[in-house]
Amino acid sequence: TQDCNFRCKYCYERGYYTPNISYCEQDVIQFLHKLKPIILDLGFTNLTVCFWGGEPLLNMSFVQTIINHFLNDEFFSFWIFTNGWLLAKY
């Protein structure tokens, strides 16, 4: 989602906000599976998947589905760029 729980005046994404854009977890998983051999052929040994913009924790089930799918694949690592407001919940 590109939804955010804040509307900060200083946000560098201000003006690019489009609420409720969602991506299907299975489409993202399929894309990452297709991307892995391409990245390996380029000589890289890992891929970091970043969740951000708006607030990724507003759609934590999406984040968890992606991470859980690749949890045992050391090729993938993950990070979340968050405003931190919902961290205590998780």
Side-chain angles (χ1 to χ4, degrees), residues 70-82:
F70 293 100
L71 195 59
N72 296 316
D73 189 337
E74 292 183 9
F75 177 77
F76 293 97
S77 61
F78 301 91
W79 66 263
I80 297 175
F81 185 83
T82 176

Side-chain angles (χ1 to χ4, degrees), residues 43-60:
F44 294 97
T45 58
N46 67 344
L47 178 67
T48 301
V49 178
C50 308
F51 298 98
W52 70 317
E55 174 51 53
L57 297 183
L58 289 174
N59 192 358
M60 189 58 171

